[in-house]
Amino acid sequence: MEMHQLRYVVAVARTGTFSRAAEECRVAQPSLSQQIQKLEDELGERLFDRLRRGAKLTAHGEAFLPRAVRILEEVEAARHEAREANALLRGTLSLGVLPTIAPYLLRDVLVRFAASYPDVQVVIHEDTTAALLRQLHSCEIDLALASRPLDDATLTIRDLFSEELKLALPPGHRLARRRQPITLDDLREEQLIVMKPGHCLGEQVLGFCQRGDTAPRIAFRGAQLETIQSLVHAGIGLSLIPAMAARPDHPAAPVYRSLNHPRPQRTISALWTKNRPPTRAAGEFLRIVEAGSMKD
């Protein structure tokens, strides 16, 4: 029985298909299937029923899965303890971050971190919230930075800071010239540019508008905040942009205004699985993030 075989079994049970499990584990599907078959031969029992559109745990598989998960957790805990036994802070920190956070937050944080801990290599994984959660559960990353709402009882969620979502307007727009406070009601007839489905910021913006009984008209969906801000500048629509991503000095920058009654914001949180507490490196990284947010 090999560790990678246990990881493959857990991945198939979680995803429901051999193909998705192979993608998640970054191996060829025939290799993954062969290793699970080899494990089943060793155990003398089938763990999965191979169905036309997926795979389903057998009764033996249902009994085996919790043990496989516990073994993987124990091995990871042992690795964690071995790493922490070394008094010197060195090694690798694998960090998952949302694309709407990474380009704007990490530069200054990583400069400070590298200056204090030059022997720690930081590996950044930029992806959506759903992908980061999968990577946490498969032990591919040590820590994730994401945005609420987050609902997973197996995770420890530590709020780091909150930031305003700024209203981004085309230069010359009527609201950009307005001196009175801007409210959600003022956006009823406007077209919005938001992140595409799968990116939590897009859902946060739409949810904020819907809470104010404003049914937004979506003009465009994008995958990059820089693209969205360029489209706002071009007059295609309005958007809500995290304060950390605002670029007022850029030649193609929108005009940024604050919304009142209510003022939208998002909360940035650190996540890790409850069975894998943060390493010293991860703890020091979070300390620098929180110190920087308090300074700002």
Side-chain angles (χ1 to χ4, degrees):
M1 187 179 300
E2 304 289 340
M3 296 303 300
H4 64 274
Q5 293 172 330
L6 299 182
R7 284 194 292 270
Y8 295 166
V9 168
V10 172
V12 173
R14 182 170 59 250
T15 62
T17 71
F18 279 71
S19 58
R20 284 201 295 268
E23 291 176 5
E24 186 175 296
C25 296
R26 293 183 173 87
V27 296
Q29 182 178 336
S31 176
L32 180 140
S33 300
Q34 183 182 40
Q35 288 299 315
I36 291 181
Q37 180 66 59
K38 186 177 177 181
L39 177 60
E40 289 176 324
D41 291 343
E42 179 183 342
L43 296 173
E45 300 288 352
R46 282 186 304 106
L47 299 176
F48 294 99
D49 286 324
R50 277 73 166 171
L51 307 176
R52 194 170 188 178
R53 296 187 176 179
K56 182 180 179 182
L57 285 166
T58 64
H60 294 292
E62 292 281 3
F64 182 80
L65 180 64
R67 293 180 180 275
V69 171
R70 284 200 297 274
I71 291 170
L72 291 173
E73 290 176 348
E74 287 296 324
V75 169
E76 186 54 39
R79 287 175 178 163
H80 172 78
E81 291 174 5
R83 288 195 298 264
E84 295 300 281
N86 186 348
L88 295 176
L89 188 57
R90 61 177 71 246
T92 300
L93 170 61
S94 294
L95 180 66
V97 193
L98 293 181
T100 58
I101 298 175
Y104 315 105
L105 175 69
L106 291 188
R107 185 192 65 179
D108 292 342
V109 171
L110 290 179
V111 166
R112 296 174 197 164
F113 184 85
S116 298
Y117 309 104
D119 292 328
V120 178
Q121 178 189 30
V122 181
V123 180
I124 305 298
H125 303 256
E126 287 188 61
D127 220 321
T128 61
T129 300
L132 294 181
L133 294 184
R134 287 196 299 270
Q135 292 171 41
L136 277 174
H137 287 302
S138 60
C139 301
E140 295 175 55
I141 57 177
D142 302 310
L143 182 75
L145 297 184
S147 179
R148 284 187 179 273
L150 298 158
D151 185 20
D152 189 326
T154 67
L155 296 178
T156 297
I157 302 173
R158 174 170 152 191
D159 294 337
L160 301 177
F161 62 92
S162 295
E163 64 167 343
E164 181 183 358
L165 299 180
K166 294 278 192 178
L167 177 63
L169 300 159
H173 190 278
R174 62 181 180 85
L175 294 177
R177 301 190 302 268
R178 182 171 171 178
R179 294 188 176 182
Q180 302 100 310
I182 302 172
T183 68
L184 197 54
D185 285 339
D186 296 316
L187 308 184
R188 289 187 182 277
E189 302 303 317
E190 301 291 342
Q191 294 194 112
L192 279 181
I193 305 174
V194 298
M195 299 289 286
K196 68 180 184 179
H199 291 267
C200 61
L201 180 60
E203 304 312 311
Q204 289 166 350
V205 170
L206 295 178
F208 172 75
C209 294
Q210 290 161 358
R211 283 198 301 272
D213 294 326
T214 299
R217 294 185 298 162
I218 300 175
F220 184 84
R221 281 183 177 268
Q224 301 291 333
L225 283 176
E226 297 307 304
T227 302
I228 289 175
Q229 296 193 75
S230 296
L231 293 174
V232 171
H233 181 268
I236 293 176
L238 316 183
S239 191
L240 290 174
I241 300 295
M244 69 170 67
R247 50 178 197 179
D249 298 329
H250 193 280
V255 175
Y256 302 102
R257 294 286 185 267
S258 291
L259 265 176
N260 289 336
H261 310 301
R263 179 166 293 183
Q265 65 176 20
R266 68 172 180 173
T267 298
I268 307 302
S269 306
L271 326 172
W272 58 87
T273 54
K274 290 181 177 178
N275 61 290
R276 292 182 71 209
T279 62
R280 282 188 60 200
E284 290 302 308
F285 176 86
L286 291 179
R287 182 186 61 77
I288 292 173
V289 171
E290 291 179 308
S293 66
M294 289 188 291
K295 188 181 298 183
D296 295 340

